[in-house]
Amino acid sequence: MKAIERIIDRAHLDRKRVVLSEAEDPRVLAAAQMAIDKQLAYITLVGDEPAIIAAAELHHIDLAGIHIISPQASSLKEVLAERLYTLRKAKGMTHDDALELVQDPLIFANLMVREGLVDGTVNGAVYTTSDVVRAALQIIGPAPDSELVSSFFLMMLCEPFHNLKGGLIFSDCGLVIDPNEAELASIAVSASKSAQTLLMEQPKVAMLSFSTNGSAKHESVDKVRNAAQLVKQRCPGIAVDQDVQLDAAIVTEIAAKKLPDSEVKGQSNVLIFPNLEAGNIGYKLAERLGGAVAIGPLLQGLNQPANDLSRGCSAQDIFNVIAVTAVQAQQGKVSDSNADIDIDIDIEADVEEREESTFDFRY
């Protein structure tokens, strides 16, 4: 079974609530309908309800079973604006600023996640990556045990022509530009957790370099080697190869020659790139020349799931990221410090009622 199919199956077994903020985009609407049809997640769309309904009618998309919230008209607006003001007043935000910003669907969606009204959010079909990441960092925030919020791609190699088959985690390919050794170690630890959650496999981590086991001397090699040692100290049970070239990371025979003491033995499922330049080039090569399917960029290290999309994404891409977000949400919120919000809303009950009536960077 393909890794994405396992993710979809797991999401289906424990449906979570996912909010989408770019709800007038036909790709988002189509993905929302797919998620409902497959019983993948409970879906909330945030935006202007008449415009969403008009877009759905134009593109022949059925909204039955989908919850829609208009920020401007919602009873949640005032209380979420107060939450936003409390979060950002130290940065100079005023009450009026908060009331204006909360009407932005992206901000509203992230506040819903923070306050436990939904379990995760997916954005980026229209919003830029910087907008998506900034909202997630400022509103949802990092997990208490997270030193760094970073990104990863879930790379799927499932075609008959792929010699290496299955899912791989590529990190960081979208966010942290030039991590130091401590940050690189943090990226590797987070990516290992992502592998356990999404690949449902024990992580086998390759800290990629142009050197294998000290074959080259350079400060960038030292960074990778030192980062690998930090990973081993923090996660002694995880197989990690330090400063390993890509071929030795994924080809058993080459690993046996170049790195006979390898812990991973050429069977890596987590590839950690030394910087964003290498990671971005690497995932695009795998996608465009190698025919891999790239799902992401996905975020790791947040207190609750919030994921990004490429603005060139398809409805299927969005559906896949909804599935990933739902499975991430199944791991549970790291901190419940925001659970005291007094809002009476039940997404699942609202959806059931709707179905019945219509069935007819660094922080």
Side-chain angles (χ1 to χ4, degrees):
M1 182 184 290
K2 296 178 181 179
I4 188 60
E5 292 173 351
R6 292 198 300 270
I7 291 168
I8 290 169
D9 285 350
R10 179 169 284 190
H12 172 76
L13 290 173
D14 180 14
R15 291 174 72 183
K16 295 300 181 182
R17 304 161 299 173
V18 178
V19 61
L20 312 173
S21 70
E22 298 150 321
E24 296 174 40
D25 190 294
R27 298 167 297 170
V28 173
L29 291 171
Q33 182 185 30
M34 291 166 62
I36 292 298
D37 289 346
K38 299 289 186 181
Q39 296 187 335
L40 185 76
Y42 298 100
I43 299 296
T44 297
L45 300 177
V46 176
D48 181 68
E49 185 168 6
I52 293 170
I53 292 171
E57 290 176 350
L58 177 64
H59 295 281
H60 309 290
I61 294 168
D62 184 4
L63 294 176
I66 297 174
H67 185 240
I68 301 174
I69 295 181
S70 296
Q72 293 85 351
S74 173
S75 60
L76 297 174
K77 181 176 71 172
E78 295 288 340
V79 69
L80 291 183
E82 181 62 30
R83 294 298 192 184
L84 182 60
Y85 167 70
T86 301
L87 277 173
R88 304 297 297 168
K89 63 183 179 181
K91 300 293 184 179
M93 182 171 289
T94 66
H95 281 285
D96 288 343
D97 293 335
L99 277 170
E100 180 177 351
L101 282 171
V102 81
Q103 297 180 65
D104 183 327
L106 176 64
I107 301 300
F108 196 98
N110 277 271
L111 284 163
M112 288 186 72
V113 176
R114 177 183 172 86
E115 303 304 337
L117 303 175
V118 291
D119 302 303
T121 185
V122 176
N123 309 283
V126 178
Y127 288 102
T128 66
T129 290
S130 60
D131 287 337
V132 171
V133 174
R134 184 183 304 110
L137 287 174
Q138 292 181 350
I139 295 171
I140 295 173
D145 61 349
S146 175
E147 299 146 347
L148 185 73
V149 173
S150 57
S151 76
F152 68 97
F153 277 86
L154 177 59
M155 306 297 293
M156 310 298 301
L157 298 102
C158 304
E159 299 300 327
F161 58 80
H162 286 133
N163 292 325
L164 177 65
K165 286 185 168 59
L168 294 171
I169 300 292
F170 280 27
S171 191
D172 182 342
C173 305
L175 189 55
V176 184
I177 296 174
D178 188 19
N180 59 36
E181 57 193 47
E183 292 168 336
L184 192 60
S186 179
I187 290 168
V189 170
S190 292
S192 298
K193 295 176 182 177
S194 295
Q196 290 174 313
T197 298
L198 299 175
L199 300 181
M200 304 167 208
E201 300 171 352
Q202 285 300 310
K204 297 179 180 179
V205 181
M207 307 291 289
L208 296 179
S209 176
F210 62 85
S211 164
T212 295
N213 198 28
S215 63
K217 307 297 180 185
H218 192 272
E219 61 183 15
S220 63
V221 177
D222 293 338
K223 179 181 82 169
V224 173
R225 290 173 66 87
N226 292 338
Q229 291 303 316
L230 291 173
V231 175
K232 291 178 180 181
Q233 290 171 18
R234 291 177 56 182
C235 305
I238 293 178
V240 181
D241 278 352
Q242 62 186 32
D243 76 301
V244 61
Q245 291 166 297
L246 179 62
D247 54 358
I250 61 174
V251 181
T252 301
E253 295 78 10
I254 295 175
K257 292 177 181 178
K258 288 189 173 183
L259 194 58
D261 296 329
S262 168
E263 296 182 23
V264 172
K265 303 185 185 306
Q267 299 176 347
S268 304
N269 56 12
V270 178
L271 300 181
I272 304 301
F273 293 85
N275 55 39
L276 185 61
E277 185 173 40
N280 190 266
I281 292 169
Y283 103 79
K284 288 184 183 294
L285 279 171
E287 180 183 30
R288 300 301 178 182
L289 295 183
V293 174
I295 300 174
L298 308 167
L299 299 181
Q300 54 193 8
L302 288 167
N303 199 31
Q304 296 146 284
N307 285 313
D308 191 20
L309 297 162
S310 166
R311 280 177 285 172
C313 63
S314 66
Q316 184 64 50
D317 294 331
I318 300 170
F319 174 84
N320 290 341
V321 177
I322 291 171
V324 167
T325 304
V327 172
Q328 288 176 322
Q330 289 172 0
Q331 307 308 303
K333 184 177 175 184
V334 179
S335 169
D336 291 322
S337 59
N338 306 312
D340 62 339
I341 187 167
D342 183 20
I343 299 176
D344 183 18
I345 182 170
D346 187 337
I347 298 294
E348 295 179 26
D350 183 83
V351 166
E352 289 169 3
E353 180 180 340
R354 187 184 182 91
E355 285 176 332
E356 187 173 2
S357 63
T358 58
F359 198 125
D360 19 40
F361 324 70
R362 306 181 191 196
Y363 49 85

